[in-house]
Amino acid sequence: MRATAHRMTMIAEGLPAMPEVLHRFVAAQPLHRFTDTRGLAWSLRDSGARGDTATAEPPPLVLLPGALGNGDSAWRIAQAFAAERRVLSITYPGGVTPELLALGLEELLRERRTGAIALWASSYGAWWAQASALRFPDQVAALWLGNTFVDGRDVAQHPLFDAGWLAATDSATVIARWDQALRARPDDLLRAVQLHMLHAGLPASDFHGRLRQVAGAAELPAPQAIANTVVFECEDDAIIAPATRARVRARYPKARHLAQAQGGHYPHIVAAELLVERMRDWLQ
């Protein structure tokens, strides 16, 4: 009921509405909130254990999408795996160092009693997920690094990630410029999800903080201890250039390197069926 009321309020105020396919997921999954010991606010949707006592539960699947929006943006993955394993879709705080995010995620997962997990992460989420896997290797049984980068230089050519502009401007201006850029895109599901996430997925200051972290990202140590690691890319990704993809692959020479022709920077939204097939093989 709360998700439905929120959607109607957005429509009444003339803001981008939550797409119906996303609304159905949000309405069916309660939102849990968590504050870590440093006072940072997290939220998540947790499908819970399957309740099948005849067989051992597989490791829960934890989802860390990128900078634009909250954990709900990976709803298609969450829906695809909900019948097979516990799935946690995570919304993490913005403007926070990867080390503090790693500590906060560990606390959240300990509070949820997940045990070892399979960690799927994309873009900015995959960049800082490396810090979690490096600091807590026993907690991460499998690691998926999708559509990601090595450091801030990899996105510096994109005006919306310009470090100087992000440092000098205010959050409202950042939202307005992103809104203008997104509205220039074709009117499709991805655009609808992006606009909803931009205006309702996160507080503006959190989104702005995430972008500053991306623009100023330093190269993180590669956590080689996770044996089941996948480095994934899309050949039509307009944000992660071919040279950047090669840099990411080179950091993980022993990982499985997977690519698909289409999916752009958001395959979990626009090419979820094929992505899920690849993930299912990873989780085997």
Side-chain angles (χ1 to χ4, degrees), residues 13-24:
E13 294 177 353
L15 295 173
M18 184 187 302
E20 180 61 31
V21 289
L22 176 56
H23 172 255
R24 288 196 293 269

Side-chain angles (χ1 to χ4, degrees), residues 28-165:
Q29 291 276 346
L31 185 68
H32 305 277
R33 301 189 185 278
F34 174 77
T35 302
D36 66 28
T37 55
R38 285 152 298 281
L40 298 173
W42 301 66
S43 63
L44 69 151
R45 301 192 194 276
D46 184 351
S47 68
R50 292 180 306 153
D52 180 4
T53 58
T55 59
E57 286 278 341
L61 175 61
V62 172
L63 306 177
L64 296 179
L68 178 55
N70 57 38
D72 295 339
S73 62
W75 88 94
R76 286 188 153 177
I77 297 175
Q79 287 177 326
F81 286 100
E84 303 172 21
R85 65 181 63 228
R86 184 181 182 186
V87 182
L88 296 88
S89 306
I90 308 293
T91 300
Y92 47 87
V96 181
T97 67
E99 292 77 15
L100 291 181
L101 288 170
L103 290 170
L105 180 62
E106 190 276 335
E107 289 181 11
L108 183 155
L109 297 177
R110 181 155 32 91
E111 192 268 344
R112 304 302 296 185
R113 299 182 180 181
T114 62
I117 62 167
L119 182 58
W120 174 93
S122 179
S123 190
Y124 169 60
W127 173 73
W128 75 258
Q130 296 174 98
S132 288
L134 184 70
R135 189 176 183 95
F136 303 105
D138 293 339
Q139 189 176 62
V140 181
L143 179 64
W144 179 287
L145 302 173
N147 301 80
T148 196
F149 53 90
V150 176
D151 56 44
R153 294 174 297 170
D154 292 327
V155 296
Q157 73 276 18
H158 298 289
L160 293 176
F161 292 98
D162 180 79
W165 172 67

Side-chain angles (χ1 to χ4, degrees), residues 148-241:
T148 196
F149 53 90
V150 176
D151 56 44
R153 294 174 297 170
D154 292 327
V155 296
Q157 73 276 18
H158 298 289
L160 293 176
F161 292 98
D162 180 79
W165 172 67
L166 289 168
T169 195
D170 59 87
S171 298
T173 302
V174 170
I175 296 294
R177 188 169 175 187
W178 272 73
D179 178 88
Q180 182 182 38
L182 293 177
R183 289 184 187 277
R185 285 184 33 81
D187 186 5
D188 55 13
L189 176 63
L190 176 60
R191 176 180 181 267
V193 172
Q194 289 177 313
L195 284 170
H196 167 72
M197 289 294 170
L198 180 68
H199 290 283
L202 292 170
S205 59
D206 269 23
F207 178 57
H208 190 183
R210 288 183 178 191
L211 295 180
R212 288 197 299 265
Q213 286 288 310
V214 172
E219 181 173 353
L220 298 176
Q224 305 293 347
I226 312 302
N228 186 7
T229 297
V230 164
V231 172
F232 175 83
E233 63 190 50
C234 293
E235 295 170 3
D236 62 344
D237 190 334
I239 294 178
I240 306 301

